[in-house]
């Protein structure tokens, strides 16, 4: 009932029953909807401890186990410095989790002496890692290298092969590359672009399958002393 002021009057018993009804409705809503929030998931490339375990990014066990590693750039004929100093290979983590490269190896060709990655070498999602003939930027033409490779010979300007093995000896990358579509001696697939002297070749494909030359382009961005490439930076790819 209402009083003269328009307010609803309610007995104590009715008011109590109303409160009990509201409580039951609230419990039913929570059961139906489930918990409002749950444990946070660790994001592996934001420099934050998302799940509150005191560990961030690649130091967190939740971020381990990535395996989508690709060769993203190759400089096989620098002009500003000798090949022994200025050649480089860039690797990129295309996984959503970190890749632990400790104990892995990279080599030119197959069966030739390999260069070992140091223990504790980890790549966060999207991170690149450059291995150059000389790790000193003042001597390698301005390449921001992370490590030196110790190949038996320099990379062949016509065609060659890059192999990466994990710590158990499994081949993770076997990439033949060529300077031009006409050269098939190294087992190259697709139409590899003929890059001018001094220009690196960059992976510009949309997938992690990068063995076809059609997905590679010649670099056009100057770096360091004047050769062309984007070592340890995003590849600059022309629209197709």
């Amino acid at each position: 009932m209402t009083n003269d002021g328009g307010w609803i009057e309610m007995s104590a018993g009715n008011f109590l029953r109303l409160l009990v009804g509201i409580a039951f409705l609230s419990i039913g809503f929570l059961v139906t909807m489930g918990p409002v929030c749950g444990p946070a998931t660790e994001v592996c490339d934001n420099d934050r401890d998302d799940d509150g375990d005191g560990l961030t990014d690649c130091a967190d066990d939740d971020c381990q186990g990535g395996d989508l590693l690709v060769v993203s750039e190759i400089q096989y004929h620098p002009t500003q410095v000798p090949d022994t100093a200025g050649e480089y290979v860039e690797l990129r983590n295309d996984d959503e989790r970190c890749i632990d490269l400790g104990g892995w190896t990279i080599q030119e060709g197959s069966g030739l002496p390999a260069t070992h990655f140091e223990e504790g070498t980890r790549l966060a999602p999207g991170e690149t890692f450059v291995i150059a003939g000389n790790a000193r930027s003042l001597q390698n033409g301005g390449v921001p290298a992370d490590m030196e490779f110790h190949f038996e010979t320099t990379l062949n300007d016509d065609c060659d092969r890059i192999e990466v093995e994990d710590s158990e000896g499994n081949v993770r990358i076997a990439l033949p590359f060529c300077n031009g579509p006409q050269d098939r001696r190294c087992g190259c697939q697709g139409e590899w672009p003929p890059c001018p002297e001094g220009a690196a070749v960059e992976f510009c494909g949309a997938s992690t399958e990068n063995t076809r030359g059609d997905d590679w382009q010649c670099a056009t961005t100057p770096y360091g002393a004047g050769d062309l490439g984007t070592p340890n930076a995003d590849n600059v790819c022309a629209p197709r």
Side-chain angles (χ1 to χ4, degrees):
M1 59 178 294
T2 60
N3 60 19
D4 293 340
W7 294 93
I8 297 175
E9 292 184 343
M10 183 180 298
S11 67
N14 288 338
F15 182 72
L16 180 60
R17 282 191 288 272
L18 176 62
L19 290 179
V20 172
I22 292 174
F24 274 108
L25 286 174
S26 300
I27 293 173
F29 177 80
L30 291 175
V31 170
T32 302
M33 296 299 294
V36 175
C37 60
T41 301
E42 182 70 21
V43 178
C44 302
D45 61 352
N46 64 356
D47 294 322
R48 293 201 300 265
D49 177 18
D50 303 287
D51 57 6
D53 64 356
L55 302 172
T56 61
D57 296 351
C58 292
D60 195 313
D61 288 342
D62 294 338
C63 288
Q64 303 308 311
D67 61 4
L68 292 180
L69 184 72
V70 300
V71 174
S72 50
E73 188 170 335
I74 307 169
Q75 172 61 278
Y76 52 86
H77 52 190
T79 59
Q80 302 302 312
V81 292
D83 287 2
T84 52
E87 290 185 344
Y88 66 80
V89 176
E90 180 189 78
L91 303 177
R92 186 178 69 215
N93 178 4
D94 277 358
D95 207 297
E96 294 181 352
R97 294 177 294 175
C98 299
I99 299 177
D100 186 351
L101 294 177
W104 290 36
T105 61
I106 182 171
Q107 64 191 63
E108 172 206 11
S110 180
L112 296 175
T115 299
H116 291 257
F117 292 89
E118 295 182 358
E119 294 296 332
T121 302
R122 297 188 179 101
L123 293 188
E127 187 176 4
T128 56
F129 190 93
V130 171
I131 309 99
N134 190 316
R136 301 172 181 84
S137 60
L138 292 178
Q139 299 177 22
N140 65 17
V143 178
D146 299 293
M147 187 176 81
E148 286 186 6
F149 56 61
H150 304 288
F151 294 164
E152 190 171 78
T153 61
T154 58
L155 298 173
N156 192 298
D157 288 1
D158 295 323
C159 73
D160 213 324
R161 181 182 180 92
I162 299 295
E163 288 193 1
V164 176
E165 294 184 0
D166 63 22
S167 56
E168 297 180 353
N170 302 307
V171 177
R172 294 301 191 98
I173 294 175
L175 175 66
F177 64 91
C178 292
N179 185 19
Q182 73 286 349
D183 201 324
R184 307 289 183 183
R185 289 175 296 165
C186 296
C188 293
Q189 303 177 33
E191 301 295 313
W192 282 82
C195 295
E197 291 286 324
V201 61
E202 300 181 325
F203 177 52
C204 292
S207 73
T208 56
E209 177 53 57
N210 67 343
T211 57
R212 293 192 59 80
D214 312 76
D215 292 326
W216 291 75
Q217 296 181 14
C218 301
T220 58
T221 304
Y223 69 87
D227 281 326
L228 305 178
T230 54
N232 260 338
D234 292 339
N235 291 352
V236 179
C237 300
R240 293 181 179 273

